[in-house]
Every structure is written in structure tokens, then in C-alpha cells.
Amino acid sequence: MLEGKAMVEDSDMPVKMQMQAMASASQALDLFDVFDCKSIAGHIKKEFDERYGSGWQCVVGSNFGCFFTHSKGTFIYFQLETLKFLIFKGASSP
């Protein structure tokens, strides 16, 4: 487990949820090869959907760009080892 070595770059999540995000990422890195970003992201998304309800999105990689709208209190962007992790819950349309 590596959650103590994660560096949060930006977040509006509650601290407890941030800790869960980093723990899920660490667990995924234990389960999957570091180059299998799709499986790592899928593992984290599934865990967040089960724990906090459906609608979560997860992007994992070392170089990516994105633009999105998220629900308040559901966003985190952090680095663990050589990978960056972006986790958020999509905002509902009015």
C-alpha cells in the first residue's frame, strides 16, 4: 500500500473520500501492471460506484488533458508513483 506517498494536486473532496481515492489507487497498483491504466481506472471507478453511488469517472495515466464538469465535493487529482489520477462524479444536467 502506497497511499502515504500520494501527492494531491487539487481536490474539493472531503478528506475521508480523498483517503479512499488514494487507497483505491494504491490497491489497483498492487493488482494491475502500472502500464495497464485502463484496468487501474476501471477498478477505481467500480469501487467508487459501489461505495458512493453510480456516475463516477476515473482517468489514469502519465500524460493526458481533459475538460469536464463535476458535482461539487467529488473531484480529486493526485499523483501516485509515476501515474496521475483524476477521479470525479459527473454533474447532472438541469
Side-chain angles (χ1 to χ4, degrees):
M1 297 295 265
L2 300 164
E3 60 269 17
K5 297 182 182 182
M7 185 175 87
V8 176
E9 297 192 23
D10 198 7
S11 180
D12 72 352
M13 274 183 182
V15 174
K16 187 174 180 181
M17 193 180 285
Q18 289 181 36
M19 299 304 287
Q20 182 61 48
M22 291 179 276
S24 295
S26 180
Q27 180 185 44
L29 288 173
D30 288 342
L31 294 171
F32 302 101
D33 187 276
V34 71
F35 297 109
D36 190 1
C37 294
K38 185 176 179 181
S39 294
I40 293 168
H43 175 84
I44 295 167
K45 180 201 173 358
K46 182 179 177 188
E47 189 164 314
F48 265 67
D49 280 346
E50 289 172 1
R51 187 177 293 260
Y52 301 110
S54 64
W56 288 89
Q57 306 299 318
C58 182
V59 181
V60 177
S62 57
N63 186 14
F64 59 86
C66 62
F67 188 85
F68 61 92
T69 303
H70 71 284
S71 298
K72 185 176 181 180
T74 67
F75 161 77
I76 188 168
Y77 179 59
F78 64 96
Q79 181 170 344
L80 183 59
E81 291 189 1
T82 59
L83 294 176
K84 305 271 185 158
F85 295 79
L86 173 63
I87 305 168
F88 64 96
K89 190 169 191 172
S92 301
S93 299

